[in-house]
Amino acid sequence: MSKTTDLRQIQRRTNQLMNFEDGFWDLLLGCIFMMLAIYPVTRELLGPVWNLVLFLSVLALLVAAELLLRRYVSGPRIGYAQPRRSPKLRLVLVFTILMVLITFGLVLVTLLSPESVPSAPVEASAGRSYLVELIVVLFMGGLFSALGYLYGVTRLYFYGWMLGLANLASVYMVHNAGWTVLIPLAMAAGIILLIGLVLLVRFLRKYPVRAEAD
Amino acid sequence: MEGSTGIDPGVRDLAEVDRLVHEPARLMILMVLYTVESADFTFVLNVTELTDGNLSSHLSKLEAAGYVEIEKGYAGKKPRTRLRLTAEGRGAVERYRGTMQKALQNLAG
């Protein structure tokens, strides 16, 4: 039996079990950033418009898959809970959605800009590009740290700074070594995917499917 | 102790604690349900790490006191037991927290 009766601990444990225990969130995040890492290559092959269509289609499929897996794989194992719509939780939810939308918007703007194509480097704006990427590092680190604190999930702190720095390193390698694939970002995504996989295996072992008990 | 014969206010406050809520396992169950709108049996079992029998026993007591609402139904073909804190249960948890905070403050001096 768990010894804790600390309400904040129980709240965090509840949030963790509802959203982060099964590793699906990590697998989704890893897949998204892996797609972003190979985006320049697929853009060269498909052109900007079709590449964006492919990206958004795969993203929609991944999100749908995650929801279905939550419903039919995680749910029967950990059970179901309906979150309470407290004012604080509404604030957390609004903040999370806002940050996700801003991040998504920034990513789209970056991907649609000519500078995102490695074969057409714009030397004069390299300094500005690094400044933008530095802001991205701080934004990602700050955003994920805030989410980690709000949801009580420690690894989110690590994800934010890792992804931000990997993105900065990728931009540096694109400008200076002519890389087409954003390898540091792909490595960061790979680490997140690996963590997600480990969490999933651990989850499946720890929580077998049970027939509902009285 | 305050006064020549009076009981310490902190100790007196503790005597007023709701003993149904105060039991550690039941307190955990109530706190889990306090943080959600509703949850099923399996979810509460996983968060509290109690055994099936233990959880059932405590839920029966809480239901008898009117603190928890237990709704038995089905999700497809699988039975599912949904648990929800009643308004009375929510009030009991809040009163318990208030009593404990007051008692601990008084004990601290």
Side-chain angles (χ1 to χ4, degrees):
Chain A
M1 181 179 112
S2 170
K3 296 286 184 287
T4 181
T5 52
D6 181 338
L7 182 59
R8 184 176 288 182
Q9 281 269 37
I10 288 178
Q11 207 156 15
R12 284 189 168 163
R13 177 77 189 121
T14 305
N15 276 333
Q16 197 164 15
L17 204 60
M18 278 197 286
N19 302 303
F20 298 100
E21 189 86 355
D22 51 20
F24 287 135
W25 188 89
D26 305 73
L27 290 171
L28 176 65
L29 188 74
C31 285
I32 290 171
F33 279 93
M34 190 60 82
M35 284 199 303
L36 289 172
I38 62 169
Y39 198 92
V41 175
T42 52
R43 185 183 165 133
E44 286 280 325
L45 295 169
L46 301 171
V49 175
W50 283 111
N51 194 32
L52 187 61
V53 168
L54 176 70
F55 177 79
L56 292 175
S57 305
V58 173
L59 179 63
L61 274 170
L62 286 173
V63 170
E66 200 244 359
L67 291 171
L68 285 170
L69 286 167
R70 276 276 161 81
R71 180 92 175 78
Y72 293 108
V73 174
S74 306
R77 294 168 191 272
I78 56 171
Y80 302 91
Q82 200 180 348
R84 192 156 169 249
R85 299 278 177 244
S86 65
K88 186 189 171 189
L89 187 67
R90 276 199 194 98
L91 195 66
V92 169
L93 210 58
V94 165
F95 175 78
T96 308
I97 292 169
L98 202 64
M99 290 299 113
V100 166
L101 287 174
I102 290 172
T103 307
F104 195 62
L106 285 172
V107 165
L108 277 180
V109 164
T110 308
L111 293 175
L112 288 172
S113 70
E115 286 82 4
S116 73
V117 181
S119 61
V122 181
E123 297 298 336
S125 69
R128 194 173 62 202
S129 174
Y130 289 131
L131 181 62
V132 168
E133 297 313 325
L134 202 58
I135 293 169
V136 168
V137 172
L138 294 172
F139 179 75
M140 295 283 279
L143 168 65
F144 276 80
S145 297
L147 290 174
Y149 174 74
L150 287 169
Y151 287 102
V153 179
T154 319
R155 64 183 184 275
L156 293 184
Y157 295 93
F158 166 63
Y159 284 176
W161 294 109
M162 181 180 65
L163 288 169
L165 290 169
N167 184 56
L168 179 64
S170 297
V171 169
Y172 178 83
M173 296 315 293
V174 162
H175 283 299
N176 294 285
W179 287 5
T180 50
V181 178
L182 307 179
I183 291 174
L185 194 61
M187 284 170 66
I191 290 170
I192 294 172
L193 282 170
L194 191 62
I195 291 171
L197 208 61
V198 167
L199 287 171
L200 179 60
V201 168
R202 196 179 74 173
F203 172 80
L204 293 173
R205 280 184 180 168
K206 190 177 173 187
Y207 299 102
V209 178
R210 45 176 282 128
E212 181 72 13
D214 287 327
Chain B
M1 282 175 52
E2 276 191 25
S4 55
T5 55
I7 298 172
D8 187 291
V11 174
R12 190 174 55 232
D13 290 335
L14 283 172
E16 290 169 11
V17 151
D18 185 339
R19 284 158 204 269
L20 191 66
V21 176
H22 190 59
E23 203 284 329
R26 285 197 289 270
L27 181 58
M28 262 204 305
I29 294 165
L30 289 168
M31 283 189 166
V32 171
L33 294 177
Y34 188 83
T35 62
V36 297
E37 192 64 41
S38 67
D40 69 0
F41 184 94
T42 305
F43 187 86
V44 176
L45 194 72
N46 281 317
V47 177
T48 60
E49 296 178 3
L50 296 167
T51 61
D52 280 39
N54 211 357
L55 179 58
S56 295
S57 163
H58 288 300
L59 282 172
S60 297
K61 289 181 182 145
L62 291 170
E63 189 188 26
Y67 290 172
V68 168
E69 190 182 292
I70 300 177
E71 191 186 302
K72 296 197 183 192
Y74 285 86
K77 288 181 184 172
K78 275 194 160 180
R80 186 185 292 174
T81 305
R82 183 173 286 188
L83 309 169
R84 185 182 276 117
L85 211 57
T86 61
E88 205 178 317
R90 209 165 277 282
V93 172
E94 283 160 7
R95 276 193 306 274
Y96 174 82
R97 287 178 75 194
T99 304
M100 289 303 290
Q101 274 169 353
K102 199 169 110 186
L104 290 170
Q105 267 169 11
N106 284 334
L107 281 171

